[in-house]
Amino acid sequence: MPRKIVHYPHPALRHKAQPVTSIDKELHLQIGEMMELMYQANGLGLAAPQVALPFQLLVMNITGDPDKPECEEVFLNPQIVEKKGVMLGEEGCLSFPGLYQDVRRAETIKVHAYDLKGKLVEKVASDLEARAWQHELDHLNGVLFIDMMGPIARLAARSSVKKFEKAFREAQEKGEIPPNLEIEKLLAALEGRP
Ligand code: CO
């Protein structure tokens, strides 16, 4: 089955991602697929849980432009080590197509992550880039932007969130998406757990 972006409330989005422990051919293939799906959906970033892979892996291209591969970034096992300032701005998420709301984020962040050579890199970002990194990093902890919205944005998003829940339930009833228990088993198998 080809990999695709899963929508809320798919259980993979609430599953805490495990660290990447080896940089092999399979990882490179997964990264290639994720980049492609991100561009197809006109996104700037995509986290592995959004394609039902329970790993601490992110792909980004802050320009969103597939003709700018020099702007592509891959983060393995990323962690935010410093946050500064506060900014409020609009966010969307490829797992909530069509939903945009204001979210409060740190203005500048410092991230530690591993690159594809297994080297630890330190990166600093501000503004849009910092917002995208914080949003994608949250995905690795099963945190979604609806969790980060203030009370007014959350209220405004409510009917849209309900629609996603209904569509997901209906797709499961039709057998288009496996039951949650089966999804949890698939995630555990990917993690190498019995
Ligand atoms: Co997202």
Side-chain angles (χ1 to χ4, degrees), residues 6-43:
V6 300
H7 293 168
Y8 173 84
H10 192 286
L13 296 171
R14 290 300 191 188
H15 190 92
K16 195 170 158 39
Q18 300 302 306
V20 172
T21 52
S22 64
I23 300 165
D24 53 15
K25 198 173 158 217
E26 202 184 349
L27 183 74
H28 281 274
L29 286 172
Q30 289 166 346
I31 289 166
E33 286 177 330
M34 284 173 63
M35 285 282 186
E36 201 163 307
L37 288 168
M38 176 184 82
Y39 289 133
Q40 278 170 15
N42 298 313

Side-chain angles (χ1 to χ4, degrees), residues 34-86:
M34 284 173 63
M35 285 282 186
E36 201 163 307
L37 288 168
M38 176 184 82
Y39 289 133
Q40 278 170 15
N42 298 313
L44 309 181
L46 189 65
Q50 292 183 278
V51 295
L53 286 173
F55 301 111
Q56 293 176 22
L57 160 65
L58 307 176
V59 301
M60 312 263 317
N61 182 332
I62 202 64
T63 68
D65 185 349
D67 294 328
K68 290 194 175 136
E70 68 278 10
C71 297
E72 287 178 354
E73 288 188 287
V74 176
F75 290 1
L76 307 177
N77 308 338
Q79 283 193 332
I80 295 172
V81 294
E82 211 178 290
K83 291 186 182 193
K84 273 186 202 152
V86 182

Side-chain angles (χ1 to χ4, degrees), residues 50 93-94 135 139:
Q50 292 183 278
C93 178
L94 297 182
H135 177 112
H139 274 298

Side-chain angles (χ1 to χ4, degrees), residues 136-156:
E136 299 308 333
L137 262 133
D138 272 353
H139 274 298
L140 303 182
N141 293 311
V143 174
L144 301 171
F145 81 142
I146 51 170
D147 308 328
M148 304 304 288
M149 289 174 190
I152 294 168
R154 195 173 295 204
L155 197 63

